[in-house]
Amino acid sequence: MEAHIIVLPGDGIGPEVTEAALAVLNAIGAKFGHTFNTAEHLIGGIAIDETGTSLPDDTLAACLASDAVLLGAVGGYKWDDPSAKVRPEQGLLAIRKEMGLFANLRPVTIHPDLADASPLKQEKLEGVDLLVIRELTGGIYFGDRERWEEDGEAWAKDTMIYSASEVRRIADIAFKAAQGRRGKLSSIDKANVLDASRLWRTAVLEVAEDYPDVELEHVLVDAATMHLLNRPASFDVMVAGNMFGDIITDEASMLPGSMGNLPSASLGESLNRFGLPRGLYEPIHGSAPDIAGQGIANPIGTIMSLGMMLRHSFGMEAEAAAIEAAVDATISQGTRTGDIARGTQQAVNTQEMTAAIIANL
Ligand code: NAD
């Protein structure tokens, strides 16, 4: 197979971790006989410096014409001024919107050898293997908002708004994901209070009729945040609207204790030349400006994001599984970057970690 991938290294450690992922991609290409054509484009702070905008037109055009996009991270001290008109994060929001990426997938697993890095007790972590699916382009983050003054008081209003079809399309992705896993779906809402959540629940139930083999439960968001701490292994797939998903994904990403290992995929309705989603794949961490340029970033989150790309955008299950197994083996062998090294463990740098993963492929 020949696939065309746009790489957006971005800022901070972004270029370091995408370079690592590309080395793994080359190794996969050689091992499995695929040709991966890659082209780098600007996004984020570096794009602001070079073009004045955080998402240049040619970057967007290249992404829309690609089979999939790999992103490092955006942002950094240099562009932190909150009053600045152009900000790196705008590029990220814009590319998600322009590519119609309404579903954000974040799998969370915990390698047993890394369990001691978790803030939770070891016994709670056994069997944790969950996938959070967050609706990304609707809900309260995109509803009407207003600020006004009345009777000498300042007021503000945000609107949580969903259409049934918006809920059905994300629910459909979540049910399919559950079918491919342990067959359980937890839909997160606040249906005891919010109308938008009652609509969410009704639409999820409609979609459930097409998936009788999936066990569906509805969990109120406040209870879900408790259960994630108390019995995280009871979840398989969780699906939530934009704001609840934002909170749940961040909470879930803390279960392994370090963000450096965790990948994500953002998918939409737009399909690539293989009839599969033209997704955007990125580690969940940011640009880590505190360690940028030192060559010590953990590349695993980006390498695992690449694995998700191979699975979701190219249908390469064996290749994705090979990456996951290689990362698992590397951690089992005790190879650690600084963020996941503990006690007397000697930390390796980004290149050494990448080479160890490639050697395990
Ligand atoms: P961060 O994720 O960049 O860093 C948090 C901490 O984790 C830092 O100490 C960092 O050194 C460490 N860390 C993160 N990834 C690591 C890795 N792969 N290896 C080793 N250590 C790692 O979050 P932050 O410090 O809140 O944000 C820094 C910048 O990143 C900000 O400008 C923020 O806006 C931006 N950001 C971007 C994204 C994105 O591009 N998707 C996401 C979050 C934050």
Side-chain angles (χ1 to χ4, degrees):
M1 182 187 260
E2 185 171 349
H4 184 49
I5 301 168
I6 294 299
V7 183
L8 309 176
D11 308 315
I13 61 169
E16 299 164 43
V17 292
T18 49
E19 187 187 327
L22 289 181
V24 173
L25 183 69
N26 281 337
I28 287 284
K31 186 175 160 70
F32 290 88
H34 302 301
T35 305
F36 296 111
N37 302 314
T38 60
E40 287 192 6
H41 283 267
L42 297 173
I43 194 168
I46 187 166
I48 294 174
D49 288 354
E50 293 194 18
T51 71
T53 164
S54 54
L55 180 62
D57 289 346
D58 67 321
T59 297
L60 178 59
C63 291
L64 292 173
S66 72
D67 293 320
V69 179
L70 181 71
L71 178 100
V74 301
Y77 308 134
K78 185 174 174 189
W79 307 281
D80 263 356
D81 177 4
S83 64
K85 283 217 172 70
V86 206
R87 295 173 53 80
E89 295 75 15
Q90 289 166 344
L92 203 52
L93 294 179
I95 190 130
R96 289 173 180 159
K97 184 162 181 288
E98 295 294 335
M99 290 180 71
L101 303 171
F102 64 85
N104 180 240
L105 278 59
R106 280 199 199 179
V108 177
T109 52
I110 301 171
H111 192 288
D113 293 354
L114 295 179
D116 58 350
S118 173
L120 293 194
K121 290 196 189 105
Q122 301 257 353
E123 67 258 27
K124 297 232 186 260
L125 297 171
E126 211 162 299
V128 170
D129 177 6
L130 58 91
L131 170 66
V132 189
I133 300 184
R134 166 187 172 193
E135 201 289 326
L136 208 54
T137 54
I140 193 165
Y141 293 174
F142 288 86
D144 285 345
R145 63 193 53 180
E146 200 182 337
R147 293 188 73 143
W148 72 99
E149 300 277 336
E150 197 176 307
D151 301 330
E153 179 94 272
W155 296 75
K157 180 176 78 178
D158 298 277
T159 315
M160 184 180 280
I161 177 166
Y162 270 117
S163 68
S165 57
E166 275 179 306
V167 181
R168 281 196 296 265
R169 69 179 183 179
I170 188 87
D172 197 60
I173 287 192
F175 276 104
K176 285 198 172 77
Q179 271 183 329
R181 294 172 47 101
R182 301 194 303 279
K184 185 175 172 199
L185 176 62
S186 308
S187 171
I188 314 302
D189 62 36
K190 189 70 184 164
N192 55 341
V193 178
L194 301 174
D195 256 330
S197 278
R198 283 190 275 272
L199 176 126
W200 176 278
R201 200 174 273 211
T202 307
V204 168
L205 279 167
E206 277 168 32
V207 179
E209 288 174 19
D210 297 334
Y211 299 92
D213 49 334
V214 174
E215 181 197 338
L216 171 68
E217 66 170 355
H218 304 280
V219 189
L220 296 174
V221 63
D222 37 347
T225 55
M226 288 189 323
H227 298 331
L228 262 178
L229 297 181
N230 197 31
R231 48 175 177 83
S234 69
F235 290 110
D236 179 9
V237 179
M238 304 174 84
V239 63
N242 208 340
M243 182 170 68
F244 298 155
D246 194 2
I247 295 165
I248 294 285
T249 45
D250 268 18
E251 188 188 7
S253 71
M254 274 295 97
L255 296 175
S258 164
M259 294 188 296
N261 285 358
L262 294 181
S264 81
S266 298
L267 311 176
E269 267 158 4
S270 158
L271 302 181
N272 61 21
R273 293 176 304 142
F274 315 120
L276 292 166
R278 177 183 293 110
L280 176 97
Y281 300 85
E282 54 180 319
I284 71 150
H285 61 73
S287 59
D290 52 336
I291 59 163
Q294 299 176 31
I296 57 169
N298 181 354
I300 290 179
T302 316
I303 290 169
M304 294 289 276
S305 301
L306 179 74
M308 293 187 82
M309 175 192 290
L310 299 184
R311 174 174 291 124
H312 293 287
S313 284
F314 307 153
M316 297 180 180
E317 181 54 43
E319 292 82 342
I323 290 181
E324 287 156 4
V327 166
D328 245 38
T330 306
I331 294 172
S332 296
Q333 287 156 0
T335 313
R336 303 276 189 276
T337 42
D339 58 318
I340 51 173
R342 295 287 173 270
T344 55
Q345 276 171 336
Q346 183 78 30
V348 300
N349 64 27
T350 310
Q351 280 184 354
E352 289 163 337
M353 175 58 98
T354 308
I357 292 169
I358 290 172
N360 279 319
L361 272 175

